[in-house]
Amino acid sequence: MSTIAVLGVGPGLGMSVAQRFAKEGYAVGLVSRSAERHPGYLAALEASGVRTVAVAADLREPGAIARALDEITAALGPVDVVYHGPGAHDLRAPTVDILETSPADIRRATAEIVEPAAELAALVLPAMGSRGHGSLVYVSGLSALVPMPFLGPYAPASGALRAYARTLAAAVASDGLVVGSLVVGGLIERGDIHQMLTGPGSPAPYATLDPDELADAVWRLASGLEDEIVFDVLTPER
């Protein structure tokens, strides 16, 4: 049985990815910062006979990614697919315009977003290479492609993550490995930010995306059918 590690699981895209791969017969390892919602996630997957485990870990902390992957491997076996989808920048949090962004701001944002991605690649790609197969899918924001000055340091950091994913893809293609890039521009339904910004029965203040459609895109990327997929409901005129 193949195994996927879903890093950054939440009620929106993360769980949709878990359920999409579960339908294909994958065992599922879930990782999120808090264990509070893990029982519900596990029950939803186990109800359909899926082997699963959940690990609480803040992926930004040193050693957390390695520990989470070790726990998943111990419970479910070698990891064949890794989905790296840490939480998006909170749209309600205070932001600094790019003109007010300092070099230190950019260093902090890059460390938060890109360094865990690089740590993950160093941990999983050698083992995947030795087995001759494996997939790694990174998620970045639309500011990786479209100028969004209001995101301040998170815009260049997102661009760096996308560039890193695309460069990795070129580097490992000859080894039979897959590194996919999913670029998301829009509010993901059922996700935490979506729930914060919408009340019962009230319309979302932003254009929204269906997490199940995004999860299908993750499946295509992990299968090597496409190398990058962009969802953009924020700038449809582009």
Side-chain angles (χ1 to χ4, degrees):
M1 175 181 287
S2 298
T3 297
I4 181 173
V6 181
L7 307 186
V9 66
L13 180 52
M15 271 304 288
S16 286
V17 169
Q19 291 165 333
R20 178 66 179 84
F21 279 77
K23 289 180 182 178
E24 302 293 336
Y26 277 68
V28 179
L30 306 173
V31 182
S32 68
R33 284 190 292 267
S34 171
E36 180 180 341
R37 294 185 290 192
H38 286 177
Y41 295 159
L42 293 172
L45 292 166
E46 290 170 352
S48 56
V50 176
R51 292 177 59 227
T52 186
V53 65
V55 180
D58 186 338
L59 302 178
R60 298 167 296 184
E61 295 180 353
I65 296 176
R67 177 178 64 81
L69 291 173
D70 285 346
E71 290 191 35
I72 291 171
T73 300
L76 304 175
V79 174
D80 303 283
V81 178
V82 181
Y83 163 83
H84 182 262
H89 177 62
D90 186 345
L91 295 178
R92 295 202 311 186
T95 57
V96 178
D97 187 271
I98 194 66
L99 294 177
E100 300 172 356
T101 296
S102 70
D105 292 331
I106 293 177
R107 282 195 297 272
R108 283 192 294 269
T110 302
E112 177 184 336
I113 292 173
V114 182
E115 287 186 13
E119 181 182 355
L120 174 61
L123 287 168
V124 303
L125 290 180
M128 289 178 175
S130 67
R131 296 195 302 269
H133 67 89
S135 301
L136 177 53
V137 178
Y138 288 107
V139 181
S140 57
L142 189 64
S143 60
L145 294 172
V146 178
M148 294 184 173
F150 66 92
L151 289 179
Y154 289 95
S158 186
L161 175 58
R162 174 182 177 264
Y164 180 66
R166 300 288 284 156
T167 305
L168 274 185
V172 303
S174 61
D175 298 325
L177 307 184
V178 171
V179 177
S181 168
L182 178 65
V183 180
V184 178
L187 190 61
I188 300 174
E189 296 169 9
R190 303 197 299 271
D192 287 328
I193 297 177
H194 180 263
Q195 293 180 31
M196 285 191 299
L197 296 177
T198 59
S202 63
Y206 302 94
T208 62
L209 292 165
D210 182 346
D212 294 337
E213 291 184 11
L214 298 177
D216 279 333
V218 174
W219 172 258
R220 296 198 303 275
L221 290 166
S223 301
L225 300 176
E226 300 180 59
D227 55 9
E228 181 171 70
I229 300 175
V230 178
F231 285 83
D232 179 8
V233 294
L234 298 178
T235 60
E237 71 282 356
R238 186 172 64 90

